[in-house]
């Protein structure tokens, strides 16, 4: 069953409320839900400073919780509802978890006005790697393919 617009708007309001409450508790202004059909599977708020974890974005927290709740790293049939446009980290987590859809309220420009530099990360990924502020180098020691060869020969592997 797919949620109607009124239900999705209700979930967006909840995500925004989660984000606002998180701010009043000293956290960042982001909240997210993972829903399947018409059921909320998981909720998350930004826990970056609380957990000293730069990956603890609201969307990632909600995705992690949903995966544990459902007992699967794949969230087929699920939608991420976020108070703000997912940054590249959260968008990547959404893709890796195989969500069906992402719906958000505020966008990256709204986040930038509040001092969050999500747009910079989108811009970095679009530029040549040698212009990035983070140096990223590849070294090939000759055994770089061994983990992949080992992976592809395992008949009992769980494919992503």
């Amino acid at each position: 069953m797919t949620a109607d617009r009124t239900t999705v708007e209700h979930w967006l309001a909840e995500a925004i409320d989660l984000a606002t409450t998180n701010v009043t508790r000293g956290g960042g202004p982001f909240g997210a839900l993972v829903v399947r059909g018409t059921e909320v599977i998981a909720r998350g708020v930004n826990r970056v400073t609380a957990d000293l974890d730069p990956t603890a974005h609201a969307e990632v927290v909600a995705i992690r919780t949903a995966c544990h709740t459902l007992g699967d790293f794949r969230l087929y049939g699920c939608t991420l509802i976020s108070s703000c446009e997912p940054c590249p980290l959260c968008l990547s987590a959404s893709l890796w978890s195989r969500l069906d859809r992402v719906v958000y309220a505020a966008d990256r420009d709204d986040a930038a006005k509040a001092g969050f530099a999500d747009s910079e990360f989108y811009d970095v990924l679009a530029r040549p790697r040698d212009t990035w502020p983070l140096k990223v180098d590849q070294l090939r020691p000759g055994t770089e393919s061994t983990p992949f060869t080992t992976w592809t020969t395992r008949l009992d592997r769980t494919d992503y």
Side-chain angles (χ1 to χ4, degrees):
M1 171 183 256
T2 303
D4 62 22
R5 181 180 173 98
T6 301
T7 302
V8 172
E9 288 174 353
H10 172 79
W11 289 330
L12 278 171
E14 183 177 343
I16 292 166
D17 287 344
L18 283 171
T20 304
T21 299
N22 198 48
V23 170
T24 66
R25 295 179 178 161
F30 303 96
L33 312 172
V34 173
V35 299
R36 182 172 61 179
T38 58
E39 179 185 1
V40 176
I41 303 298
R43 292 169 176 83
V45 294
N46 182 283
R47 298 203 40 87
V48 170
T49 58
D51 293 352
L52 303 177
D53 179 353
T55 69
H57 293 199
E59 297 89 341
V60 173
V61 171
I63 288 168
R64 287 175 182 159
T65 303
C67 288
H68 287 283
T69 298
L70 297 176
D72 198 339
F73 62 91
R74 296 160 296 204
L75 297 176
Y76 295 121
C78 294
T79 297
L80 176 68
I81 307 290
S82 182
S83 64
C84 187
E85 179 180 5
C87 72
L89 169 73
C90 297
L91 187 56
S92 294
S94 298
L95 291 164
W96 275 112
S97 65
R98 309 303 195 268
L99 286 162
D100 286 3
R101 182 180 181 201
V102 173
V103 179
Y104 62 89
D107 65 18
R108 65 183 85 173
D109 297 322
D110 298 312
K113 290 174 191 169
F116 292 89
D118 297 12
S119 293
E120 290 179 24
F121 294 118
Y122 282 101
D123 295 343
V124 164
L125 295 174
R127 293 191 332 236
R129 192 175 285 178
D130 63 351
T131 67
W132 290 6
L134 171 67
K135 190 169 177 65
V136 178
D137 295 315
Q138 179 183 28
L139 297 174
R140 296 181 71 86
T143 57
E144 63 277 350
S145 295
T146 302
F148 298 110
T149 302
T150 304
W151 169 260
T152 58
T153 60
R154 282 194 64 116
L155 299 177
D156 64 341
R157 71 180 181 265
T158 301
D159 288 329
Y160 291 43

